Amino acid sequence: MPDIGRTKIIHGYYRYTDIWFEWNKVLPNMEDGYAVKAILAHDTLVHPDHPLRLPGRNGIELSIGILDNGEARLLFSSAQVEYIRYWLHAMGLTKELIPLPYSDCLLTSARLQNISPVVYKTGGELHLAIKAIDKNNRKLKGADSNLNSRRLMFERVRSLWCEQRGVWCAVDFEAWDMEHTVITEFGWSAVHWVDGKPVENMGHLIVAEHRGFTNHYVPENRRFYHYGQSEDVTMKQLKERIHSMIEAMKKLGPLFLVFHDNNQDLKYLRSPAIQAPLDSLSFFLPESCTEAETSDSPKIYVIDTAELFAALEGDSGGQKRSLERVCRLLQIKSEFTQHLHNAGNDARCTHLALKEMAGGDPLDMQRVTRWPQHTSNNSGLRVSFSKEDEDSDALPSDDDDIITAGPYDPKTGRLREGWAESMARLQRRLDGVNTEQDDADKSPATEKSATGEA
């Protein structure tokens, strides 16, 4: 007789398709199979009274798992499957406690690169999701390994963000564009959670002794912080503030430092002028916040919104999009993106971009939902943006073609259809540019550029 006290219980995940299509077929009692099929039907799963419905969820929460080959699978947790069998028997809907699916069907965490939650609100949404996952898996065949890594990272960030633990802090530095070692600004935008509610703080520091160094090529926007009052500090005070901020945040759990293209900002944090306490910095994300909290030393993890967006649009290349372009394509309101190249504003917009992506649906669902007209006919995973999507100042492509061709059709000699409307749209756009230029001309004169002295 086996020693029950030493029996190892293994938890994991079952493929949705195995549970929905196959589980009912292998049950000894056919009538029990009908009950299983009924409780797992798409419209039944999303019903508010379903036994798997979690408090505060507006739908059924399942999981998306990423296999070693990069393909995704929709999953039930083993806990959900076990609960269903007990619930059906307790309600008298099965004659006996039905057996679990074969152990060979169980996917343990070791067989999955990442697991993240996903909520479906309607049966139709769930049904379409299964087809979409299968379609995207076919597109992944032969995909670039760099793209697969980015996709995995995106889902890992989503799952960590959904835990609502630790501190997520977006940071940005600005420097004089004639000498990049001269730091002129620092900004941050952070969030942590208390009793499930987000608590945010943000700020903008201007280096007082470098105020005279004004930019020649990059917009000079240090005076236009939109989220509070800027503070003047010395370089010594800036170093002290950054040190104390990082140390305080590390005490609240794992710290996720968020950048938009981290290369230059990390150089500033590690520079002799700042020497931020980053000894435990890691580019490798934990599987969960629990793993991070139980590590030997408090870890600081790097998140890059430029990499997240590259995963979302299906780009495997090395050319990263600017923060302004990312915010525009994510449809973050333009009121938030005014006066970028202000460190405080950039940090806040980086935070908003992170929230848009990490707080949204799984990657492939997001991509199709955000840009349906640019993905449905695409043979690969890369989103094809139009000229208007890429540049808010670009003419609509139809207008561009009409204006380039001229007002009259050479074959008929008649005025081209849509010419007047296109010219009117162009005039309105030019009027807007002229108005902005007039406002700029009326603004107070900016400080003179430094010639080498602070």
Side-chain angles (χ1 to χ4, degrees):
M1 183 175 179
D3 185 350
I4 297 177
R6 295 185 179 179
T7 301
K8 185 177 181 181
I9 300 175
I10 300 176
H11 297 285
Y13 297 85
Y14 293 100
R15 293 175 178 86
Y16 179 92
T17 51
D18 286 345
I19 298 302
W20 170 235
F21 291 113
E22 304 299 333
W23 191 22
N24 67 95
K25 297 178 182 178
V26 298
L27 296 178
N29 190 309
M30 185 178 296
E31 292 182 3
D32 291 346
Y34 295 148
V36 169
K37 197 70 173 175
I39 197 65
L40 296 176
H42 298 148
D43 290 331
T44 307
L45 275 174
V46 300
H47 194 278
D49 296 329
H50 195 278
L52 294 182
R53 184 70 165 258
L54 296 176
R57 297 291 193 275
N58 188 23
I60 179 67
E61 181 175 305
L62 301 176
S63 300
I64 295 283
I66 306 297
L67 301 176
D68 287 338
N69 63 359
E71 293 183 9
R73 292 291 185 271
L74 184 62
L75 306 171
F76 283 104
S77 69
S78 57
Q80 288 176 313
V81 173
E82 289 170 5
Y83 187 78
I84 281 295
R85 62 195 284 259
Y86 282 113
W87 186 88
L88 287 173
H89 187 53
M91 294 295 105
L93 298 174
T94 57
K95 293 182 178 181
E96 56 187 19
L97 188 63
I98 59 177
L100 286 167
Y102 296 123
S103 59
D104 291 345
C105 300
L106 186 69
L107 293 171
T108 61
S109 297
R111 296 175 62 187
L112 297 166
Q113 294 194 68
N114 188 67
I115 304 151
S116 58
V118 57
V119 175
Y120 297 105
K121 300 176 183 178
T122 68
E125 187 178 293
L126 176 56
H127 179 68
L128 291 174
I130 298 168
K131 292 185 176 181
I133 290 172
D134 182 61
K135 179 180 178 181
N136 285 312
N137 285 338
R138 290 197 299 270
K139 290 181 178 180
L140 272 172
K141 302 291 185 183
D144 186 276
S145 59
N146 191 38
L147 177 58
N148 281 335
S149 297
R150 284 175 170 172
R151 287 169 58 84
L152 174 61
M153 173 270 302
F154 187 100
E155 290 301 335
R156 180 67 56 83
V157 170
R158 276 192 67 251
S159 62
L160 291 166
W161 177 267
C162 288
E163 291 188 50
Q164 298 185 348
R165 292 159 69 182
V167 180
W168 298 68
C169 181
V171 299
D172 183 72
F173 285 89
E174 291 293 320
W176 188 35
D177 62 1
M178 301 298 288
E179 174 50 70
H180 287 198
T181 61
V182 179
I183 297 173
T184 56
E185 307 169 57
F186 173 74
W188 76 95
S189 177
V191 63
H192 69 282
W193 290 265
V194 177
D195 297 328
K197 296 182 179 179
V199 179
E200 294 186 339
N201 76 83
M202 61 202 77
H204 178 229
L205 305 179
I206 298 175
V207 180
E209 57 260 48
H210 295 160
R211 266 193 173 277
F213 291 85
T214 56
N215 289 332
H216 290 66
Y217 306 107
V218 176
E220 179 59 58
N221 286 331
R222 79 183 83 181
R223 296 181 296 130
F224 304 114
Y225 179 52
H226 294 311
Y227 305 99
Q229 187 68 39
S230 300
E231 297 180 61
D232 276 27
V233 295
T234 64
M235 275 301 298
K236 180 182 178 182
Q237 290 171 329
L238 175 63
K239 178 179 179 179
E240 292 170 350
R241 290 283 292 272
I242 292 175
H243 278 241
S244 61
M245 182 180 77
I246 290 176
E247 294 295 351
M249 289 178 175
K250 285 164 63 176
K251 295 177 181 177
L252 298 175
L255 172 57
F256 299 93
L257 285 182
V258 186
F259 307 89
H260 188 81
D261 198 353
N262 64 69
N263 183 49
Q264 192 62 46
D265 291 311
L266 277 175
K267 285 182 179 178
Y268 290 134
L269 285 171
R270 288 168 163 160
S271 68
I274 305 296
Q275 294 179 321
L278 301 178
D279 293 341
S280 57
L281 189 75
S282 174
F283 288 86
F284 299 98
L285 298 177
E287 290 189 3
S288 66
C289 289
T290 300
E291 178 188 309
E293 290 168 346
T294 55
S295 64
D296 295 335
S297 60
K299 287 287 196 301
I300 303 173
Y301 300 96
V302 173
I303 307 287
D304 194 327
T305 52
E307 290 284 341
L308 286 175
F309 190 83
L312 185 59
E313 70 166 327
D315 180 21
S316 62
Q319 189 70 28
K320 297 178 182 179
R321 291 189 180 274
S322 69
L323 178 59
E324 181 183 11
R325 190 66 55 82
V326 166
C327 288
R328 181 187 304 140
L329 294 173
L330 290 175
Q331 297 185 342
I332 292 173
K333 293 181 180 178
S334 59
E335 62 194 70
F336 295 117
T337 58
Q338 292 180 356
H339 298 120
L340 292 180
H341 295 291
N342 170 292
N345 295 341
D346 282 10
R348 184 58 181 165
C349 287
T350 300
H351 183 162
L352 293 174
L354 168 74
K355 186 177 178 181
E356 274 289 315
M357 293 184 282
D361 289 326
L363 188 154
D364 293 314
M365 289 176 61
Q366 268 196 61
R367 189 181 67 249
V368 175
T369 301
R370 290 183 183 281
W371 308 298
Q373 303 304 317
H374 305 300
T375 57
S376 59
N377 297 321
N378 190 8
S379 59
L381 293 169
R382 180 67 186 266
V383 178
S384 298
F385 292 110
S386 66
K387 182 170 57 178
E388 302 89 78
D389 292 324
E390 296 277 5
D391 185 358
S392 62
D393 292 328
L395 284 169
S397 56
D398 291 344
D399 289 355
D400 195 15
D401 293 342
I402 290 174
I403 292 172
T404 301
Y408 295 101
D409 186 325
K411 293 182 178 179
T412 64
R414 296 178 179 176
L415 188 69
R416 294 183 187 274
E417 183 179 355
W419 170 263
E421 292 82 356
S422 296
M423 291 303 296
R425 281 193 289 269
L426 175 60
Q427 187 60 55
R428 286 195 297 270
R429 193 175 291 250
L430 292 174
D431 289 343
V433 172
N434 291 335
T435 300
E436 291 178 3
Q437 184 61 49
D438 290 342
D439 292 340
D441 292 341
K442 295 175 184 177
S443 64
T446 58
E447 300 166 278
K448 292 183 178 180
S449 299
T451 58
E453 294 181 357

